[in-house]
Amino acid sequence: MDSRKVTELKGFVQLCESRPEILHLPELSFFRTWLLSMGAKIPPPPKTQDSCQGGCPCGPPPASASPPEPPVPSESEESEIEIDNDGVIEPETDEPQEMGEFDNVEVTEEMMDQANEKKMEAINALGEGDLQKAVELFTEAIKLNPCIAVLYAKRASVFIQMQKPNAAIRDCDRAISINPDSAQPYKWRGKAHRLLGHWEEAAKDLATACKLDYDESASALLKEVQPKANKILEHRRKYERKREEKAIKEKQERIKKAREEHARAQREEEARHQGGAGGAGGAGGFFPGAAGFPGAGPAGMPGFGDFLKDPELLNAMKDPEVMTALQDVAQNPANISKYQNNPKIMALVSKLSAKFGAPPQP
């Protein structure tokens, strides 16, 4: 799974923990529906504050404070999309309905006949307008024969009339798992999603229902929800493009920065080499033959090329303490005795002596 999306999900969960009232926003109705279907408990919506907030015995006067500055939205934040939610309802919070023992069930012919009788009684109750009785009879039929997709689809249609979209979705999910080629479960599930304001899911289910078996009511509802689903899809694509463009821009900035760092490191390395070579060339002035460091001579003498290639010596020549000591010894070789207890100076003197073939004088 994309780590960026996981990070965004963690941020959203943390926001819900700190501000649970946002779960009651209309655009998060689908999320509430899922939480309730999983058995979660959602805190009730916060009560609106009374208009009396000071200036009367019910409470102290409000403290004067400057209004907070509105946060500046970042480019990555998605703006709210305006959708007409007319006809959208709050999901019901009823306990899940009985679904029958679907797995490892053995249905006899007698049970099939009884289930069919209950189905006919439910249809009659539905015709009389007794929705609750119709649900109960369909439930009895399902318990007798839980392997018939149409029973769940029929009960889902009653739940839609009772404004219970979550229950209808559960029934349609079961019916589709039994017979994915039946149009009725997709039709009723699409209508349930429409009641909940799940425009994309509603459009998908209604389009599938019309594809499997054209239905005028499903087609009419599809014409209503499809533009809203398209608007949401376009909105999402817009911000996906923005996120992709931002990621590309950030990658280009990283590459540019890495190249600049690499070029700077190369320039510094070249400067160190040039400075080291110059310092080594001038070092011969500190060892002018017999008057300087023992064994030192002109730059063309044997050993001087090795001197220029030794990085330890070149780095040592950049140490002010080392250069001061070498200048002192170059002016008076006898001054080397002053540095007998300085391991850094003596180590360099010993190395120089080895390079030029002469031991250091005490």
Side-chain angles (χ1 to χ4, degrees):
M1 186 174 183
D2 190 344
S3 59
R4 184 175 57 191
K5 294 187 181 296
V6 173
T7 302
E8 292 176 356
L9 180 58
K10 288 181 179 178
F12 174 71
V13 172
Q14 292 173 354
L15 178 62
C16 292
E17 290 176 346
S18 61
R19 295 180 56 198
E21 65 272 11
I22 68 171
L23 293 172
H24 294 278
L25 294 175
E27 54 267 31
L28 292 181
S29 61
F30 72 95
F31 188 50
R32 291 195 305 275
T33 301
W34 178 78
L35 290 175
L36 292 170
S37 69
M38 296 295 291
K41 293 183 178 180
I42 298 178
K47 296 181 179 179
T48 56
Q49 294 182 348
D50 296 331
S51 59
C52 181
Q53 297 186 16
C56 68
C58 66
S64 59
S66 58
E69 296 182 0
V72 179
S74 65
E75 293 182 0
S76 62
E77 292 179 352
E78 294 190 15
S79 62
E80 295 294 333
I81 181 171
E82 295 183 0
I83 296 288
D84 180 11
N85 287 320
D86 183 39
V88 174
I89 65 173
E90 288 292 326
E92 80 276 14
T93 57
D94 300 347
E95 290 292 327
Q97 67 271 31
E98 292 187 64
M99 304 297 289
E101 296 294 334
F102 180 71
D103 297 324
N104 300 322
V105 63
E106 183 177 349
V107 181
T108 64
E109 291 187 7
E110 182 181 359
M111 293 170 65
M112 292 181 185
D113 293 338
Q114 291 175 354
N116 191 52
E117 290 176 3
K118 294 296 182 183
K119 181 185 77 170
M120 297 308 299
E121 292 178 16
I123 293 174
N124 292 333
L126 187 59
E128 295 172 358
D130 193 341
L131 301 181
Q132 184 59 44
K133 183 177 179 181
V135 166
E136 293 172 357
L137 290 168
F138 277 127
T139 300
E140 292 180 24
I142 287 171
K143 291 165 67 176
L144 288 166
N145 191 358
C147 302
I148 302 298
V150 69
L151 294 178
Y152 296 97
K154 288 288 187 182
R155 187 171 67 173
S157 70
V158 183
F159 282 133
I160 292 296
Q161 295 184 58
M162 297 174 71
Q163 300 283 282
K164 294 184 177 183
N166 280 339
I169 290 173
R170 285 191 289 267
D171 270 351
C172 292
D173 288 344
R174 173 62 63 83
I176 291 170
S177 69
I178 297 172
N179 183 7
D181 296 324
S182 175
Q184 288 298 308
Y186 292 103
K187 170 185 172 180
W188 296 115
R189 192 170 70 176
K191 291 189 174 185
H193 281 306
R194 188 263 174 265
L195 286 175
L196 293 170
H198 302 168
W199 306 112
E200 291 177 286
E201 294 86 345
K204 182 179 179 181
D205 278 342
L206 292 169
T208 303
C210 290
K211 182 179 179 180
L212 291 171
D213 185 10
Y214 180 79
D215 180 271
E216 288 188 2
S217 63
S219 177
L221 193 57
L222 177 60
K223 291 177 181 179
E224 175 194 343
V225 303
Q226 189 67 67
K228 298 177 182 181
N230 292 342
K231 188 174 182 180
I232 295 172
L233 180 61
E234 181 57 33
H235 182 77
R236 185 184 303 113
R237 286 176 177 172
K238 172 186 173 183
Y239 282 92
E240 284 177 355
R241 287 194 298 268
K242 283 190 175 183
R243 283 192 289 267
E244 290 173 358
E245 290 170 0
K246 183 180 179 181
I248 292 173
K249 184 177 180 181
E250 290 175 349
K251 182 178 180 180
Q252 291 174 342
E253 289 292 332
R254 290 195 299 269
I255 294 174
K256 180 182 178 182
K257 186 176 180 180
R259 287 175 176 171
E260 290 175 351
E261 289 291 331
H262 180 67
R264 183 181 63 80
Q266 282 187 326
R267 289 194 298 270
E268 291 178 356
E269 185 67 20
E270 291 171 359
R272 281 197 297 270
H273 282 290
Q274 292 173 0
F286 300 133
F287 310 107
F293 190 83
M301 292 184 65
F304 196 76
D306 294 337
F307 173 86
L308 295 177
K309 297 177 182 178
D310 193 321
E312 183 179 352
L313 292 177
L314 294 178
N315 287 329
M317 290 299 179
K318 298 176 184 178
D319 189 332
E321 180 185 1
V322 173
M323 294 304 297
T324 300
L326 292 181
Q327 287 176 347
D328 188 18
V329 174
Q331 293 172 1
N332 184 0
N335 287 343
I336 195 173
S337 60
K338 293 161 52 176
Y339 306 97
Q340 292 293 326
N341 295 325
N342 189 325
K344 180 167 63 174
I345 302 300
M346 292 310 297
L348 181 62
V349 169
S350 298
K351 192 161 189 176
L352 287 171
S353 299
K355 289 283 186 185
F356 293 102
Q361 295 180 351

